[in-house]
């Protein structure tokens, strides 16, 4: 059992730096405010957020990696669907029923990982 736990920790350590760097690049591309970034990452603590942004963290929680994975999938899907306007799409009001006329960023920043999943599913479905 100990070896499995250690392997998972190593995986998270290996993924943490690249995942955070990618997340912050996407956040910049989308023009996300600090509070929006914190909500997507599932963080309440600004000091933790600042540490993550500086890369001063050994391994982020599994939940945060899952959240970043969804963001990366949303980003990639949008780049394929809307190469010229992908980054603007997240802030545009959306008539799709899952958004209720609000921008996708409102759903993504609810703080719930399930909402990131729903947005990712929506983008994947649009891609066909």
């Amino acid at each position: 059992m100990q070896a499995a736990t250690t392997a998972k920790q190593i995986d998270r350590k290996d993924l943490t730096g690249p995942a955070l760097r990618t997340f912050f690049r996407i956040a910049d591309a989308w023009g996300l405010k600090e509070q929006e970034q914190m909500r997507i990452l599932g963080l309440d603590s600004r000091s933790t957020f600042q540490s993550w942004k500086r890369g001063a963290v050994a391994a982020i929680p599994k939940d945060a990696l899952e959240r970043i994975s969804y963001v990366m999938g949303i980003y990639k899907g949008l780049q394929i669907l809307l190469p010229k306007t992908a980054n603007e799409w997240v802030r545009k009001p959306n008539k799709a029923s899952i958004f209720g006329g609000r921008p996708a960023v409102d759903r993504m920043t609810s703080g719930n990982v399930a909402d990131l999943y729903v947005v990712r599913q929506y983008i994947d479905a649009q891609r066909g």
Side-chain angles (χ1 to χ4, degrees):
M1 191 70 161
Q2 188 66 28
T5 303
T6 305
K8 286 179 184 170
Q9 288 169 342
I10 291 167
D11 288 344
R12 278 196 292 125
K13 282 182 181 177
D14 291 344
L15 294 171
T16 290
L20 286 174
R21 285 190 298 275
T22 302
F23 173 79
F24 289 120
R25 279 197 296 270
I26 292 170
D28 285 345
W30 287 350
L32 296 179
K33 298 175 189 84
E34 183 177 273
Q35 194 62 39
E36 291 172 324
Q37 293 176 47
M38 287 175 61
R39 290 187 63 81
I40 288 173
L41 291 170
L43 292 175
D44 295 324
S45 165
R46 189 168 182 274
S47 60
T48 300
F49 173 78
Q50 292 298 332
S51 294
W52 287 17
K53 196 157 186 176
R54 284 193 312 274
V57 59
I60 59 175
K62 183 175 175 274
D63 173 74
L65 279 174
E66 181 182 2
R67 290 166 178 271
I68 293 170
S69 171
Y70 288 134
V71 168
M72 290 169 67
I74 292 165
Y75 180 83
K76 180 181 174 189
L78 287 172
Q79 294 298 318
I80 293 167
L81 274 173
L82 309 164
K84 290 181 172 35
T85 60
N87 294 332
E88 292 79 34
W89 181 89
V90 296
R91 292 219 180 263
K92 287 186 177 170
N94 195 314
K95 292 181 179 132
S97 62
I98 67 160
F99 301 115
R102 313 233 359 117
V105 72
D106 287 6
R107 182 106 195 223
M108 292 190 292
T109 57
S110 72
N112 298 318
V113 69
D115 285 317
L116 291 168
Y117 172 77
V118 167
V119 175
R120 167 76 191 268
Q121 269 195 320
Y122 172 80
I123 297 297
D124 288 349
Q126 296 305 304
R127 285 180 45 208

